[in-house]
Amino acid sequence: MLVSALLMSVGINSCLCVLLFTLYSVLRKQPHNYEVFLPRRLAAGTSKRRRNKVARYIPSVRWIWKSWRPSEKDLMDSSGLDGVVFMRMITFSLKVFLFAGIIGTFVLLPVNCFGDQLIQINYADWSANSLDLFSVANLKTRSPWLWVHFGAIYLVTAFVCCLLYLEFRYIGLKRIEHFNSSRAQPQQFTILVRNIPSSDGSSVSETVDRFFTENHFSTYLSHVVIHRTSKLRSIVDNAKKLYKKVKHKKPDAPRVRKTPIVRFFSRKDTPEDHYEKVLHELEQNIRLGQAEVSTPGKEVRAAFVSFKTRYGAAMALHMPQSINPTYWLTEPAPEPHDVHWPFFSASFMQKWLAKIVIVFACLLLTVLFLVPVVLVQGLTNLSALEYFFPFLTLILSMKIVSQIITGYLPSLILQTSLKIVPPIMEFLSSIQGHICHSDIQKSACNKVIWFTIWNVFFATVFSGSAFYKLSVIFDPKEILVKLAVAVPAQASFFIAYVVTTGWTDTLTELFRVVPFMVSYVKRSLEPTDDNELVIPPMRYHRDTPRVLFFGLLGITYFFLAPLILPFILLYFVLAYVIYRNQFINVYEPKYDTGGMFWPMIHYTMIFSLVLMHGIAIGLFALKKMELATYLLVPLPVFTLLFNEFCRKRF
Amino acid sequence: MLVSALLMSVGINSCLCVLLFTLYSVLRKQPHNYEVFLPRRLAAGTSKRRRNKVARYIPSVRWIWKSWRPSEKDLMDSSGLDGVVFMRMITFSLKVFLFAGIIGTFVLLPVNCFGDQLIQINYADWSANSLDLFSVANLKTRSPWLWVHFGAIYLVTAFVCCLLYLEFRYIGLKRIEHFNSSRAQPQQFTILVRNIPSSDGSSVSETVDRFFTENHFSTYLSHVVIHRTSKLRSIVDNAKKLYKKVKHKKPDAPRVRKTPIVRFFSRKDTPEDHYEKVLHELEQNIRLGQAEVSTPGKEVRAAFVSFKTRYGAAMALHMPQSINPTYWLTEPAPEPHDVHWPFFSASFMQKWLAKIVIVFACLLLTVLFLVPVVLVQGLTNLSALEYFFPFLTLILSMKIVSQIITGYLPSLILQTSLKIVPPIMEFLSSIQGHICHSDIQKSACNKVIWFTIWNVFFATVFSGSAFYKLSVIFDPKEILVKLAVAVPAQASFFIAYVVTTGWTDTLTELFRVVPFMVSYVKRSLEPTDDNELVIPPMRYHRDTPRVLFFGLLGITYFFLAPLILPFILLYFVLAYVIYRNQFINVYEPKYDTGGMFWPMIHYTMIFSLVLMHGIAIGLFALKKMELATYLLVPLPVFTLLFNEFCRKRF
């Protein structure tokens, strides 16, 4: 890749950014877009529907300022600790890449430029130089300048580790502060007990009562046994659907704020005989269902047990309750909004097997994901398209169409299939046996991180080289050297990737493309329909891996191709502004994991560092710097020890 | 190796066994050997010193009967749960190899014999056949008879897993029963708290008191802060030494049962002026030392905290005490006899780093142990000896001497260096930061197990083949096939190993060679000296790995060379009789880990199984049985899952 090509790409994407920022500032002022761009403020009633029609169409940058202004405390109040952790991940990356960027741009870049392994720099025409001139590939074998890179690696590792430690400590303190400052929540007094052993003759409720009265006499308060209510639930769902139907029939009926069912029973809305009949049937069914649910046969061997004090609950949570550790399993009770019901009845064995199966499935999906994608991409060549869709022949014979199809379709297919991964992983996590949504999200986030690292980073690095063979991957002697060959070779690709995919990704996040289009289509179909306002929750399992991936790119490439650093830095600035804006205007937390995403972020950073060290060791071995190679070996060891220390300390 | 050679070896070793058993039955009846062979009964006063001089010299087998007779309950009472676990390991092995032995001898052995890969069996002269005829090597590539081995592998794995599960459950129940039946011990009411944070102005004792009064108000009873007493201890040790000296000076002084120091102070024993002066000095020093110890400067940031109930202690133990998990670390208090003092003052970081360093040291020792041993063995050739010890030239020129030296010295050096490994590992574990001897022993046991497996099994298997290179070992595709070539090649060596080293090892255990010799030498030097009777504790970290190693040999070789099974079975029968005898007559437990050796035994068995599966997969691949190879792959996976299940369940 030449400098000119990079400049062109940067130019185009910068213009696009400015254009879309301007467009956004106009679009968000249109009242009919409020529910896409400002649902939180709409719900809070703080978005004034401005009368001035002209001002609406004048672009402004005030929204950037507004999103910059709120303090961390405000963010904590509005988006919970998870939002704070997410934003701190971005500020952490900003700090890291500011430091690495200064070293990279002012030290490593000049050093690389004045190497003479490749052809000399063309000073007359800068833009005709290859990007490789700015990378470490331009330094000769055994060049003493490589010691500068060596020093930079040690320096950046030390900086990142210090920052990671401080950040982990800060978030730990925030967690405690958050816990202390919030009011006592019901879930803090409650634990979930599962796999209650059956004792002959007595119901689950009696067993629980006896057990806790006996063992936690002084603190035990009460308990609620969980019942299977799927049948009742489906009846209630039916009633809700019917309610919606009736409501649409009589849009002018007075809209009293009542819960759907109560509203349905209050006869007023169902003048027609047909609905009255259905209503009666439903009422009957619900009564039957309610009666059935309270029978012992519908009891699940799990219960929420409440204690008089939080201390009592914590005590019961941490003590092993039974001689057989597969019975009386205790877990902290999730927040009421956060409960995921399907797995309360799963036994210890079922849950464990489900977990193993899902882990295997995820591994398989992660490793083999590219195979079907590449196959489908193969189908998009022109002859295949003409074969399957003969009527397209005429269009396909046009040169520009064929260029677009062969050029964009394969990468479009890859990008689209990558977009469906977070929902797939979320689904897999949801059948893994978790009992609350936040656990599902954490688990999905973890899966998506590894998926992204494998299928974007390693797949790109290894494609082209005959590397995608397991035999080579498991050979530890070779792998570092092969990595050191393959990773720098993809430097220009990843620089372009940051500029294109990275920057546009944040912009699609800003524009909320899918909800925007859905709302547009809805509006054009049913212009008068005033739907209930839905405030979406932040999907951390989709966004965290994305941001982390750019961190990984930056850390692994900072000494190979320091040119990537300014673009990464810009990406994080964009992400900072845009995600803050979204937290303030769009997303509302439904439940709080209490900052439990941080360990994941921490581990990914550690992985990035160790990967970078591995590549560096391979590179120094390639450049025949024996001493530097051996001196680098302790670095990953120390990094892993530091990680182990953090695990113990926090 | 020919059958005749094996028969010869078996014959010689069997005769040796019978001979030594007979000799033992005579020796143990000699009163002056009582303190070597029957110290427990001597201490308990149950060994009647028989008057009949003739009966003493008549060999008998009564001791075998006596050691067979006691029930498990008796063993539990006399040797604690650890002794029971050790014996159950042997009975477990007996069961496994009885089952595997029946399959091996009556099914696999005939199948192997009638294969015709190698030359035909010489029916006329059985003893001239090679041992390989009885191994799986005698079956042709793609022989359908290999399916019999396939079935046997599945069958034995299933049997071992079932037995492991039952055994683990049994021992779990025994642990609980043991806990319930024993009286409440002081250590059950106490926890050890370490890394107590320093708070300004108050002593450790005040800090502890404040913390537990505040947080465990209802159950907290009292505490003891630990002090540095090394100086005082050395003075007391000096006093003890002096006491011994004085005692030897006046052997006819009346031996009142007093503690050494009290006895020393009671003036009666020190009529001479010199001793009186020394005594005064010591008394002064001890007073000074006692005064110094109680100053705050000698306080260690650790304390034993006692609670009113066992429940209270358990509660405090399981609750995280502090926001910073490196402070207020809680551990169950060890038994009073079991405390290992040196590491009470170690901080969290120090302990953690010590552990990492020791683990690395052990790994290094384990992997590189053979290098110096092989080098030393190289020095024992004749020319080197003649060079270093010129005066030996005459003796070395004799043929028989040179044969013995070249034949036995290298293996003697190896065996001797293997004998010093358990003490080395115990020493390494003791500086790892454990706070009780039983933990040290457990940790050392673990280290010795892996050391033995690596340095006896793998070193033997890989020696000869150019296998001892890391590059090959880390290549997973090749390793199974290479194992499948190398392991069967050493079958005859290991059969001979079981017959020679295995059987004689148990006999040296029976004879207690070192203590026997020491006592003999002492007796001949100071015939009148009546030393205090020392009852040795069982050294589990030395014996458990030894027994487990023969289990590993049996499991890995049962389908490769079923001929090994009868000899292994005999080994375990010997071990059963001899260790029971030793538990009853020799070893007395000093402290009880409460059966915590079982998990180690369990994991080693699982490792043996998985190793066996790996070799089997390699072998079937070699014999070109594709289907069988693939059908075997789930077996190690299921075994590991079973292991994981057991970890969770127990």
Side-chain angles (χ1 to χ4, degrees):
Chain A
M1 202 181 188
L2 298 180
V3 174
S4 57
L6 178 67
L7 287 179
M8 172 107 93
S9 175
V10 171
I12 293 175
N13 280 286
S14 306
C15 293
L16 206 66
C17 280
V18 173
L19 199 75
L20 289 175
F21 265 49
T22 322
L23 191 64
Y24 172 77
S25 73
V26 175
L27 278 180
R28 79 200 288 268
K29 286 189 218 153
Q30 311 310 316
H32 54 257
N33 286 334
Y34 280 9
E35 64 181 65
V36 177
F37 294 129
L38 311 168
R40 277 199 87 166
R41 287 170 59 188
L42 205 61
T46 54
S47 71
K48 39 187 192 302
R49 305 209 168 216
R50 50 186 91 212
R51 296 278 166 263
N52 185 350
K53 282 222 171 184
V54 181
R56 271 203 219 158
Y57 294 101
I58 296 171
S60 73
V61 290
R62 263 200 75 211
W63 67 271
I64 296 181
W65 166 242
K66 269 189 197 162
S67 72
W68 200 284
R69 210 179 33 190
S71 69
E72 193 171 278
K73 182 131 193 4
D74 302 333
L75 197 66
M76 173 81 108
D77 293 340
S78 72
S79 297
L81 197 50
D82 289 338
V84 171
V85 165
F86 187 86
M87 285 318 298
R88 281 204 81 90
M89 168 177 72
I90 294 177
T91 47
F92 169 83
S93 307
L94 273 174
K95 284 179 209 162
V96 168
F97 292 113
L98 200 65
F99 181 80
I102 290 169
I103 290 184
T105 325
F106 298 110
V107 183
L108 299 185
L109 208 56
V111 167
N112 290 344
C113 279
F114 296 114
D116 46 5
Q117 172 74 6
L118 310 174
I119 42 153
Q120 281 285 328
I121 294 185
N122 184 347
Y123 289 102
D125 184 5
W126 265 95
S127 62
N129 285 313
S130 161
L131 282 188
D132 290 341
L133 279 181
F134 303 96
S135 80
V136 77
N138 198 26
L139 287 180
K140 268 193 184 149
T141 303
R142 287 188 226 271
S143 161
W145 289 108
L146 281 169
W147 286 101
V148 177
H149 293 79
F150 178 87
I153 290 168
Y154 260 90
L155 214 61
V156 168
T157 305
F159 182 79
V160 174
C161 284
C162 287
L163 218 56
L164 276 176
Y165 178 80
L166 293 175
E167 204 69 13
F168 216 146
R169 201 178 56 178
Y170 179 84
I171 284 167
L173 291 174
K174 266 267 167 288
R175 273 170 62 82
I176 292 156
E177 195 182 290
H178 176 65
F179 178 80
N180 288 339
S181 66
S182 59
R183 280 188 310 131
Q185 305 280 323
Q187 69 267 17
Q188 291 163 354
F189 292 86
T190 309
I191 64 171
L192 172 63
V193 181
R194 299 172 43 164
N195 277 37
I196 299 164
S198 53
S199 56
D200 35 59
S202 54
S203 71
V204 177
S205 177
E206 286 160 11
T207 313
V208 173
D209 207 51
R210 199 165 346 105
F211 183 84
F212 281 94
T213 317
E214 193 178 309
N215 293 309
H216 297 269
F217 170 69
S218 57
T219 53
Y220 170 62
L221 181 69
S222 68
H223 71 275
V224 181
V225 172
I226 291 150
H227 289 83
R228 265 188 213 91
T229 55
S230 45
K231 208 169 164 189
L232 186 64
R233 192 164 292 266
S234 75
I235 300 170
V236 172
D237 283 347
N238 278 344
K240 275 187 187 163
K241 259 183 218 155
L242 202 65
Y243 160 73
K244 251 192 183 163
K245 234 190 213 165
V246 175
K247 204 185 87 183
H248 279 289
K249 286 255 147 127
K250 307 179 70 66
D252 43 16
R255 294 195 67 212
V256 192
R257 268 249 166 245
K258 287 180 179 176
T259 65
I261 304 171
V262 174
R263 180 174 167 68
F264 192 72
F265 292 156
S266 60
R267 294 223 172 185
K268 258 188 194 170
D269 297 345
T270 57
E272 294 164 48
D273 283 356
H274 168 69
Y275 283 116
E276 202 152 345
K277 219 183 92 195
V278 175
L279 163 72
H280 271 297
E281 227 166 70
L282 268 175
E283 211 178 333
Q284 206 73 26
N285 279 341
I286 286 178
R287 291 240 174 86
L288 274 174
Q290 280 171 333
E292 196 183 340
V293 156
S294 51
T295 59
K298 288 278 175 186
E299 274 182 337
V300 172
R301 308 210 76 81
F304 286 110
V305 180
S306 293
F307 293 85
K308 286 173 193 155
T309 57
R310 290 198 275 198
Y311 182 73
M315 213 171 71
L317 180 67
H318 284 101
M319 291 274 291
Q321 303 291 337
S322 157
I323 282 165
N324 182 339
T326 60
Y327 289 126
W328 296 106
L329 296 175
T330 54
E331 280 176 72
E335 285 179 43
H337 293 290
D338 194 11
V339 187
H340 180 68
W341 294 103
F343 286 94
F344 277 78
S345 57
S347 76
F348 175 79
M349 270 299 271
Q350 282 169 338
K351 217 180 135 182
W352 182 63
L353 286 178
K355 199 177 158 187
I356 288 169
V357 170
I358 296 294
V359 166
F360 267 94
C362 281
L363 268 179
L364 222 66
L365 179 68
T366 306
V367 174
L368 299 181
F369 172 78
L370 281 186
V371 176
V373 171
V374 169
L375 286 181
V376 173
Q377 283 176 343
L379 287 181
T380 61
N381 61 35
L382 289 182
S383 51
L385 279 177
E386 280 177 20
Y387 179 80
F388 286 112
F389 308 100
F391 52 89
L392 289 178
T393 318
L394 199 70
I395 306 174
L396 288 175
S397 61
M398 287 160 69
K399 203 182 165 203
I400 189 159
V401 174
S402 71
Q403 268 181 347
I404 288 178
I405 284 180
T406 50
Y408 279 82
L409 212 52
S411 99
L412 195 72
I413 289 172
L414 177 65
Q415 289 299 324
T416 321
S417 17
L418 282 175
K419 292 263 185 266
I420 59 166
V421 168
I424 291 178
M425 291 300 187
E426 195 183 13
F427 169 72
L428 285 178
S429 297
S430 76
I431 55 173
Q432 199 180 324
H434 292 295
I435 50 130
C436 55
H437 294 294
S438 54
D439 278 352
I440 292 174
Q441 219 174 40
K442 267 186 291 178
S443 157
C445 181
N446 223 341
K447 291 184 179 107
V448 178
I449 289 173
W450 296 115
F451 182 92
T452 316
I453 292 177
W454 178 255
N455 277 304
V456 183
F457 186 79
F458 284 106
T460 309
V461 166
F462 295 159
S463 69
S465 63
F467 213 127
Y468 214 88
K469 283 186 290 177
L470 285 180
S471 62
V472 187
I473 291 179
F474 281 116
D475 191 346
K477 212 176 49 176
E478 284 294 293
I479 189 144
L480 293 184
V481 173
K482 293 233 165 154
L483 264 180
V485 175
V487 173
Q490 299 294 337
S492 10
F493 171 82
F494 277 120
I495 294 176
Y497 183 85
V498 172
V499 174
T500 53
T501 313
W503 294 4
T504 49
D505 249 12
T506 52
L507 290 171
T508 53
E509 171 58 39
L510 181 67
F511 268 87
R512 305 193 66 224
V513 179
V514 177
F516 183 64
M517 269 152 53
V518 168
S519 117
Y520 185 80
V521 169
K522 254 193 191 163
R523 246 190 355 257
S524 45
L525 289 179
E526 299 178 73
T528 56
D529 179 25
D530 54 344
N531 275 311
E532 294 241 329
L533 181 69
V534 183
I535 305 179
M538 174 80 178
R539 276 164 297 170
Y540 291 105
H541 65 284
R542 191 197 56 181
D543 292 274
T544 314
R546 215 186 268 171
V547 176
L548 281 175
F549 181 67
F550 287 100
L552 176 101
L553 275 189
I555 287 178
T556 41
Y557 274 102
F558 98 92
F559 74 101
L560 294 172
L563 208 60
I564 204 173
L565 292 170
F567 305 114
I568 294 254
L569 203 57
L570 256 170
Y571 166 81
F572 280 112
V573 172
L574 275 182
Y576 182 78
V577 172
I578 288 172
Y579 279 109
R580 274 185 89 100
N581 178 57
Q582 303 298 79
F583 273 121
I584 295 163
N585 295 323
V586 181
Y587 300 127
E588 190 173 55
K590 272 197 180 161
Y591 35 78
D592 205 345
T593 69
M596 285 311 286
F597 281 99
W598 187 260
M600 242 173 270
I601 297 165
H602 180 92
Y603 297 141
T604 313
M605 285 292 162
I606 294 282
F607 174 81
S608 312
L609 282 178
V610 173
L611 180 67
M612 185 261 276
H613 298 152
I615 296 168
I617 289 172
L619 184 86
F620 282 116
L622 262 186
K623 296 265 182 190
K624 304 229 186 309
M625 304 274 290
E626 280 83 11
L627 184 60
T629 312
Y630 290 121
L631 285 180
L632 264 185
V633 173
L635 199 54
V637 176
F638 282 125
T639 311
L640 290 175
L641 282 181
F642 165 76
N643 182 37
E644 196 53 34
F645 170 73
C646 285
R647 269 164 59 100
K648 285 186 185 287
R649 169 66 184 76
F650 299 107
Chain B
M1 202 180 186
L2 298 180
V3 173
S4 57
L6 178 68
L7 285 179
M8 174 107 90
S9 173
V10 171
I12 292 173
N13 279 285
S14 306
C15 291
L16 207 67
C17 282
V18 173
L19 200 74
L20 290 175
F21 266 51
T22 320
L23 190 62
Y24 172 77
S25 73
V26 173
L27 279 179
R28 79 201 287 268
K29 285 189 219 156
Q30 311 309 317
H32 54 259
N33 286 334
Y34 279 10
E35 65 181 63
V36 177
F37 294 130
L38 309 168
R40 276 199 88 167
R41 286 170 61 188
L42 204 60
T46 56
S47 73
K48 40 185 191 306
R49 306 211 166 216
R50 51 186 92 211
R51 295 278 165 267
N52 187 348
K53 283 219 169 185
V54 181
R56 272 201 217 157
Y57 296 102
I58 296 171
S60 72
V61 290
R62 264 200 77 210
W63 68 272
I64 297 181
W65 166 243
K66 269 188 195 161
S67 71
W68 199 285
R69 213 178 34 190
S71 70
E72 194 170 279
K73 183 125 194 8
D74 301 333
L75 197 67
M76 174 80 107
D77 294 340
S78 72
S79 298
L81 197 49
D82 289 339
V84 171
V85 165
F86 189 86
M87 286 317 298
R88 280 204 82 89
M89 169 178 71
I90 295 177
T91 48
F92 170 83
S93 308
L94 274 174
K95 284 179 208 163
V96 168
F97 292 112
L98 201 64
F99 181 80
I102 289 169
I103 291 183
T105 324
F106 298 111
V107 183
L108 300 185
L109 209 56
V111 167
N112 290 344
C113 280
F114 295 114
D116 45 5
Q117 174 74 8
L118 311 174
I119 41 151
Q120 279 287 326
I121 293 186
N122 184 347
Y123 289 100
D125 185 6
W126 266 95
S127 61
N129 285 315
S130 161
L131 281 186
D132 288 342
L133 279 182
F134 302 97
S135 81
V136 77
N138 197 26
L139 287 180
K140 269 193 182 150
T141 304
R142 285 188 228 273
S143 162
W145 289 107
L146 281 169
W147 285 102
V148 176
H149 293 78
F150 178 86
I153 291 168
Y154 260 90
L155 214 62
V156 168
T157 305
F159 182 79
V160 174
C161 285
C162 287
L163 219 55
L164 276 175
Y165 178 79
L166 293 175
E167 205 70 12
F168 216 144
R169 200 178 57 179
Y170 178 83
I171 283 167
L173 291 175
K174 266 268 168 287
R175 273 170 64 83
I176 292 155
E177 197 182 288
H178 176 65
F179 178 81
N180 287 338
S181 66
S182 59
R183 279 187 310 129
Q185 305 278 324
Q187 70 266 19
Q188 291 163 356
F189 291 87
T190 309
I191 64 171
L192 171 63
V193 181
R194 299 171 43 162
N195 277 38
I196 298 164
S198 53
S199 56
D200 33 62
S202 55
S203 70
V204 177
S205 177
E206 286 161 12
T207 314
V208 173
D209 207 50
R210 199 165 347 103
F211 183 84
F212 282 94
T213 316
E214 193 179 308
N215 292 310
H216 297 270
F217 170 70
S218 58
T219 54
Y220 169 62
L221 181 69
S222 68
H223 72 273
V224 181
V225 172
I226 291 152
H227 289 82
R228 267 191 213 89
T229 55
S230 44
K231 208 168 162 190
L232 186 65
R233 193 165 291 267
S234 75
I235 299 169
V236 172
D237 282 347
N238 278 344
K240 273 188 188 166
K241 260 185 219 154
L242 202 66
Y243 159 73
K244 253 192 183 166
K245 234 190 214 164
V246 173
K247 205 184 86 181
H248 280 291
K249 287 254 146 136
K250 306 179 68 66
D252 43 19
R255 296 195 66 211
V256 192
R257 267 251 165 243
K258 287 181 179 174
T259 66
I261 304 170
V262 174
R263 182 174 168 68
F264 191 74
F265 292 157
S266 60
R267 296 223 169 184
K268 256 189 193 170
D269 297 344
T270 57
E272 295 164 46
D273 282 359
H274 168 70
Y275 283 117
E276 202 152 344
K277 218 182 90 193
V278 175
L279 164 73
H280 270 298
E281 224 166 75
L282 268 175
E283 212 178 332
Q284 207 73 28
N285 280 341
I286 287 179
R287 289 238 175 87
L288 275 173
Q290 279 171 336
E292 195 183 343
V293 156
S294 51
T295 60
K298 289 278 176 187
E299 273 182 340
V300 172
R301 307 209 77 80
F304 286 110
V305 180
S306 293
F307 292 84
K308 287 176 195 153
T309 56
R310 289 198 276 197
Y311 182 74
M315 214 171 72
L317 179 67
H318 284 100
M319 293 273 291
Q321 303 292 337
S322 158
I323 281 164
N324 183 338
T326 60
Y327 289 126
W328 296 105
L329 295 176
T330 54
E331 279 176 73
E335 285 179 43
H337 294 290
D338 195 11
V339 187
H340 180 67
W341 295 102
F343 286 93
F344 277 78
S345 57
S347 76
F348 175 78
M349 271 297 271
Q350 283 169 337
K351 218 181 135 182
W352 182 63
L353 286 178
K355 198 177 158 186
I356 289 169
V357 170
I358 295 294
V359 167
F360 267 95
C362 281
L363 268 179
L364 222 68
L365 178 67
T366 305
V367 174
L368 299 181
F369 172 78
L370 281 186
V371 176
V373 171
V374 169
L375 285 182
V376 173
Q377 284 177 346
L379 287 182
T380 62
N381 59 36
L382 289 183
S383 51
L385 280 178
E386 280 177 22
Y387 179 80
F388 287 112
F389 307 100
F391 52 88
L392 288 178
T393 318
L394 197 73
I395 304 174
L396 289 175
S397 61
M398 286 159 70
K399 203 182 164 201
I400 190 158
V401 172
S402 71
Q403 267 183 349
I404 288 178
I405 286 179
T406 50
Y408 279 83
L409 211 53
S411 100
L412 194 70
I413 290 171
L414 177 65
Q415 290 299 324
T416 320
S417 20
L418 282 176
K419 292 265 185 264
I420 59 165
V421 168
I424 292 178
M425 293 299 187
E426 196 182 13
F427 168 72
L428 285 177
S429 297
S430 76
I431 56 173
Q432 198 180 327
H434 292 295
I435 49 131
C436 55
H437 294 293
S438 54
D439 278 353
I440 292 175
Q441 218 175 41
K442 267 188 290 179
S443 159
C445 181
N446 222 343
K447 291 183 178 109
V448 178
I449 289 174
W450 296 114
F451 182 91
T452 315
I453 292 177
W454 177 258
N455 277 305
V456 183
F457 186 78
F458 284 107
T460 309
V461 165
F462 295 160
S463 70
S465 62
F467 213 127
Y468 216 86
K469 283 186 289 178
L470 284 178
S471 61
V472 186
I473 290 180
F474 281 115
D475 191 347
K477 216 176 47 179
E478 284 294 292
I479 189 147
L480 292 185
V481 173
K482 292 235 166 155
L483 264 181
V485 175
V487 173
Q490 300 294 336
S492 10
F493 172 80
F494 279 120
I495 293 177
Y497 183 84
V498 171
V499 174
T500 54
T501 313
W503 294 4
T504 48
D505 250 11
T506 51
L507 288 172
T508 53
E509 170 58 39
L510 181 66
F511 268 88
R512 307 192 64 224
V513 179
V514 178
F516 183 64
M517 268 150 54
V518 169
S519 117
Y520 184 80
V521 170
K522 255 192 189 163
R523 242 188 0 254
S524 44
L525 290 180
E526 300 178 71
T528 55
D529 179 26
D530 54 344
N531 274 310
E532 293 239 329
L533 181 68
V534 183
I535 305 178
M538 174 80 178
R539 277 164 297 170
Y540 291 105
H541 65 284
R542 191 196 58 179
D543 292 90
T544 314
R546 211 186 271 173
V547 176
L548 281 175
F549 180 66
F550 288 100
L552 176 102
L553 275 189
I555 288 178
T556 41
Y557 274 101
F558 98 92
F559 75 101
L560 294 172
L563 208 59
I564 204 173
L565 293 170
F567 304 114
I568 295 253
L569 203 58
L570 256 170
Y571 166 80
F572 280 111
V573 171
L574 275 182
Y576 183 77
V577 171
I578 287 172
Y579 280 109
R580 274 184 90 100
N581 177 60
Q582 302 299 77
F583 274 121
I584 295 165
N585 295 322
V586 182
Y587 299 127
E588 188 173 55
K590 271 197 182 161
Y591 35 77
D592 205 345
T593 69
M596 285 311 286
F597 281 99
W598 186 260
M600 241 173 267
I601 298 166
H602 180 92
Y603 297 141
T604 313
M605 285 289 162
I606 294 280
F607 175 80
S608 312
L609 282 178
V610 173
L611 180 67
M612 186 261 279
H613 299 152
I615 296 168
I617 290 172
L619 184 86
F620 282 116
L622 263 186
K623 296 266 181 189
K624 305 230 186 308
M625 304 275 292
E626 280 83 9
L627 184 61
T629 311
Y630 290 121
L631 284 181
L632 265 186
V633 173
L635 200 53
V637 176
F638 281 125
T639 310
L640 290 175
L641 283 181
F642 164 76
N643 182 37
E644 196 55 33
F645 170 73
C646 285
R647 268 165 60 101
K648 286 186 184 286
R649 169 64 183 79
F650 298 108

